[in-house]
Amino acid sequence: MEKIIVPLGTRSYPIHIGAGLLDSLGVYVREALGDITVAVVTDDNVAPLYLGRAVRSLQSAGLTVKSITLPHGETTKCLNRLSDLYNFLCHARITRRDAVIALGGGVIGDLTGLAAATFLRGVHFVQLPTTLLAQVDSSVGGKVAVDLPQGKNLVGAFYQPDLVLIDPDTLNTLTDEFWRDGLGEVVKYGCINDAALFALLEECAPGGREALMTRIETILQHCVQAKADVVAQDERDTGLRMTLNFGHTIAHAVETCQHYEGLRHGEAVSLGMHIITRLTEARGITAPGTADRLDALLTALNMPMQLPAIPEADLLAAMGMDKKSAGKTLRVIVLQEIGRCHIHPTDVSFFNGMTSA
Ligand code: NAD
Ligand code: GLY
């Protein structure tokens, strides 16, 4: 069992990582927040797998429990479902001393977090992430949001949880598709600030998902610690936190051009990391051999590196619209070597020739 603190002064919070933690949810919530009512939010894939155990654990700890199950998928991260949650929280008579618990992947975490941030101007918030992506990324750092028809994550807040419990056993039921989705972000942490994690991934990757699962607690600790370190220094995403976007400029452009119906996010990040590192190594920004090492790991993990057939002009246009760009300046994250990166202010012309990289 590992405990990592996200150090944010009075809003600091613990992230516990350990197999079987789901069954201790009630004990942890009661210890952190006392004798309260909890509103559990989940989706219709996760509910049959884990909601019963979560509710039993909470009730055994003497807590009053209400729950709601929403449809799975990105379309749930919207204003209509947020409104459904407000109705549910009213009906459950949630007060400011009570808590909402997100039990699920990043969709449930982001939506529930925004409800927690805004209902009654803020109620307690607990995350029990059940996808690899949510365990290594979305449950850490307090970004909560819903999508608008005009784009992803356009209505949101920074709202840190009180507590995060990560139970790696929940990953056993994840489809290979969503497993690979999370792996893109895992590799990213190794690239940007954790060479030891990268080496561990290189060691396990040939054995596939099974081998990675034998070291999953260590892998999760590395990722969560890496993200916690970054968030502690730049909670509001004005500087260092942008390094978490390594591979994402290209990924977001690909996802936009494919209207979010092609590669999954983690796959697009894999592709983005591959292309940017090939480009920067060729330009002498990245140490020789880095791109080969990254490509070997991505290949061993069965992650995509092949750019779909999208005209380069369309990709460049999408990059120009990236919400992380400031005016014409695009802040691209580039590797110096495995485990070290920096923010490179540039413009979209930096990516000229990317489709042949
Ligand atoms: P998701 O929540 O849609 O989960 C993926 C699928 O897996 C869903 O169908 C879900 O029902 C299912 N599932 C969840 N846990 C399962 C389990 N243990 N076993 C079997 N099936 C399970 O998607 P995601 O990939 O977890 O998250 C993507 C979302 O996260 C996006 O909306 C993205 O914008 C957001 N995100 C947020 C942040 C942040 O910092 N807040 C960071 C990265 C991504
Ligand atoms: N997923 C990027 C961030 O949390 O900033």
Side-chain angles (χ1 to χ4, degrees), residues 184-208:
E185 302 293 344
V186 172
V187 173
K188 175 194 78 180
Y189 292 115
C191 288
I192 63 171
N193 71 4
D194 192 339
L197 170 63
F198 196 93
L200 175 59
L201 296 173
E202 287 177 318
E203 187 190 317
C204 297

Side-chain angles (χ1 to χ4, degrees), residues 43-46 49-50 72-74 77 104-108 110 130-131 133-134 137-140 143-144 147 152-153 170-171 173-175 178 181 185 227 241 264-265:
D43 75 28
D44 55 1
N45 284 333
V46 177
L49 296 166
Y50 303 117
H72 66 275
E74 185 69 29
K77 233 178 87 170
V107 164
I108 290 299
D110 282 12
T130 60
T131 63
L133 182 135
D137 191 356
S138 61
S139 67
V140 183
K143 281 189 184 175
V144 295
D147 305 331
K152 265 178 69 68
N153 297 322
T170 60
L171 300 178
T173 52
L174 208 57
T175 62
F178 288 113
D181 210 8
E185 302 293 344
K227 183 151 186 190
R241 191 161 177 168
R264 288 208 47 90
H265 178 68

